[in-house]
Amino acid sequence: MSKITRGFRQSLAMGRQTESENRRSLRISLIEGIPANILANLLGGPLQTVYLTYLGFTAFHIGFVLAIPPFALLIQIFIAFAMQKWQNRRLFVMLFGVVHRTLWVATGLIPLTFTEDAWIPVYLALWLISMISGQAGGVVWTSLMADVVPPAIRGKYFGIRNTIHWAVVCVTLLAGGQIMEWLPGSRGFTVLFAVSALCVIWNGWALSRYPNPPFQPSESGGSLKLFLRPFADRRFVSATLFISVFILLQNIVIPLFSYVMLEVIDLSTSKVTLIIMLQNLVMMVSYYYWGVLNSKYSTNTLLLWTFPLIAASCAVWAGMAILPAILILIIVHVLLGFGFAGYNLLVFNFLIGDSPKSERPMYVAVFSALTGIAGFIGPIAGGWLYDQAADGPMWLQTYGIATFAGGALLVLALVLAPFVFKPSDRQ
């Protein structure tokens, strides 16, 4: 056999091996997200609100709980520096992921191990450490996936991945809501936390199977220049500041939608979970189409479409003044599902697509830190506002606060956003 023929066959074999490695990597990423989403929706979202009210949390307390995950994003700055030395990304994704979910499940033991006056502070402590661990792993995971998923298929792959995961979310929410209807109180929570504990094991196994491609460190090493590099990118800074302000306003009301439905409008847990499931069904379908659109249109162009949708989901609460609440809530969550699906997919592609590979962890960390500060302030302010509105007219706490926030968001989305996210920019 000639050297040319042997070389050609070896090239084909290496090509098939690389393709097989890529396929396995994409498949394990898809599988890993299934138990992660089951756990997050059995212990988070409206079911978390039910558990928190069971522990005695007020609107302000709930707003504080919802503010902790974005606040924990600040840890990503330190992790981005640490990644210059901690280059085994698979190990740290697995470590942070398991700690994050284990501590979250541990909050289910609070009523069994502490006196009632300690429930709120102990939950907040466990929740804070859990979220710090989860957000620490987030920046490592983002860097890893940016290397694993080829740029040409990112939009479509994450569209399909998110579609499948949100199908899991819908089934989980439906099942979780029914469990709490059939087994109200402590019995229902026992089932939710037991299933979540099994998901920790499943998710940990899947994380250990992730690929571990070589990490490309920054030329700046661990110096201050590494931190300052993203701030020299004017396009990145302007987009990040706009999104931070937008998140600040939206987080005054959107994280508390479940609280308003459960505690103010007084809907049952099953009805609230069905409404949230509708939102997730819309997200599930929308992820695929946003991914397809992203292969045709620039990320910036599509982001301009998502902001008005999210803003409208807050503004249309005003419709409760003349229309049935259930009808308005359906419209709200359809708009929110469609807008959030686009935003979640596109902002991820914006980050990993426009940031230099060697600087990507710090770009992600700076973005997360700035948006995290805004996300931290929003729910706390929202919880305080709803507590203050409890003594005011019913319309204000039912739909007034959300409507005012929606109006401000629409101004940002329609007036300022086109100057920040110019469609002519590169995809």
Side-chain angles (χ1 to χ4, degrees):
M1 184 184 298
S2 68
K3 291 184 178 179
I4 295 176
T5 303
R6 283 198 302 270
F8 178 70
R9 289 186 175 181
Q10 288 174 355
S11 297
L12 285 176
M14 290 178 64
R16 284 194 296 270
Q17 184 177 4
T18 301
E19 181 182 11
S20 178
E21 286 279 337
N22 285 339
R23 286 180 180 273
R24 282 197 297 271
S25 300
L26 300 180
R27 186 168 60 251
I28 197 64
S29 169
L30 192 153
I31 292 171
E32 178 270 323
I34 293 174
N37 277 287
I38 292 173
L39 184 151
N41 286 276
L42 288 180
L43 306 187
L47 295 174
Q48 182 181 33
T49 302
V50 175
Y51 185 58
L52 293 178
T53 54
Y54 172 78
L55 294 180
F57 281 62
T58 65
F60 176 77
H61 290 136
I62 293 173
F64 192 77
V65 167
L66 298 174
I68 285 176
F71 172 76
L73 286 167
L74 292 171
I75 193 65
Q76 294 192 352
I77 296 287
F78 303 99
I79 298 299
F81 277 110
M83 285 178 66
Q84 305 306 311
K85 295 181 179 179
W86 300 350
Q87 296 182 11
N88 187 340
R89 289 180 287 180
R90 177 173 59 199
L91 172 63
F92 287 100
V93 164
M94 181 179 68
L95 177 64
F96 287 131
V98 170
V99 171
H100 158 58
R101 295 180 179 94
T102 300
L103 290 175
W104 196 350
V105 170
T107 62
L109 299 174
I110 289 174
L112 303 177
T113 52
F114 295 94
T115 57
E116 190 170 341
D117 60 341
W119 288 1
I120 292 176
V122 172
Y123 185 96
L124 290 174
L126 286 174
W127 177 248
L128 174 63
I129 301 171
S130 171
M131 290 302 109
I132 288 175
S133 182
Q135 303 294 24
V139 64
V140 186
W141 183 87
T142 301
S143 168
L144 181 61
M145 293 305 294
D147 290 347
V148 168
V149 184
I153 65 167
R154 274 178 190 155
K156 190 171 183 179
Y157 170 73
F158 284 110
I160 294 171
R161 181 181 186 270
N162 291 347
T163 297
I164 294 171
H165 287 173
W166 283 98
V168 172
V169 168
C170 292
V171 174
T172 301
L173 277 174
L174 178 61
Q178 292 304 309
I179 288 170
M180 292 308 299
E181 287 290 316
W182 298 331
L183 302 170
S186 59
R187 293 183 299 163
F189 293 130
T190 299
V191 175
L192 298 188
F193 279 94
V195 173
S196 299
L198 295 175
C199 287
V200 174
I201 298 171
W202 181 7
N203 180 256
W205 169 84
L207 289 173
S208 71
R209 307 285 295 176
Y210 256 74
N212 197 24
F215 174 70
Q216 181 179 334
S218 169
E219 295 178 359
S220 303
S223 68
L224 184 61
K225 292 172 65 175
L226 175 64
F227 175 70
L228 296 176
R229 180 73 181 272
F231 292 97
D233 188 335
R234 293 179 60 187
R235 178 175 176 273
F236 169 79
V237 170
S238 62
T240 299
L241 290 176
F242 173 86
I243 291 173
S244 297
V245 174
F246 197 88
I247 286 175
L248 172 61
L249 284 173
Q250 77 173 34
N251 275 19
I252 291 175
V253 290
I254 291 178
L256 291 159
F257 279 2
S258 293
Y259 171 80
V260 174
M261 290 188 287
L262 286 164
E263 300 297 318
V264 179
I265 302 177
D266 199 26
L267 295 181
S268 66
T269 302
S270 60
K271 285 183 179 178
V272 173
T273 52
L274 283 172
I275 290 170
I276 301 297
M277 189 183 75
L278 172 64
Q279 174 189 326
N280 289 320
L281 280 170
V282 174
M283 291 182 73
M284 177 186 73
V285 175
S286 302
Y287 271 125
Y288 174 77
Y289 288 104
W290 282 113
V292 172
L293 287 171
N294 200 201
S295 65
K296 298 179 181 179
Y297 300 98
S298 73
T299 298
N300 279 13
T301 297
L302 295 178
L303 274 172
L304 284 175
W305 300 358
T306 67
F307 297 127
L309 289 168
I310 296 171
S313 72
C314 299
V316 298
W317 280 75
M320 287 188 186
I322 56 174
L323 294 172
I326 290 293
L327 174 61
I328 295 301
L329 291 173
I330 289 172
I331 296 171
V332 163
H333 287 85
V334 167
L335 289 170
L336 194 60
F338 193 45
F340 267 177
Y343 172 81
N344 291 341
L345 178 68
L346 295 163
V347 79
F348 181 80
N349 289 344
F350 169 79
L351 276 174
I352 67 175
D354 285 3
S355 53
K357 182 177 179 180
S358 61
E359 315 296 328
R360 189 170 290 140
M362 187 55 74
Y363 267 73
V364 174
V366 168
F367 177 87
S368 298
L370 293 176
T371 56
I373 293 170
F376 171 72
I377 297 171
I380 293 177
W384 179 83
L385 284 173
Y386 277 106
D387 273 348
Q388 296 302 305
D391 297 326
M394 181 58 69
W395 70 267
L396 184 61
Q397 52 185 314
T398 303
Y399 60 83
I401 296 174
T403 301
F404 292 137
L409 288 168
L410 280 172
V411 171
L412 285 176
L414 299 177
V415 177
L416 187 57
F419 292 99
V420 178
F421 298 91
K422 297 178 181 179
S424 59
D425 286 348
R426 67 187 184 275
Q427 184 170 338

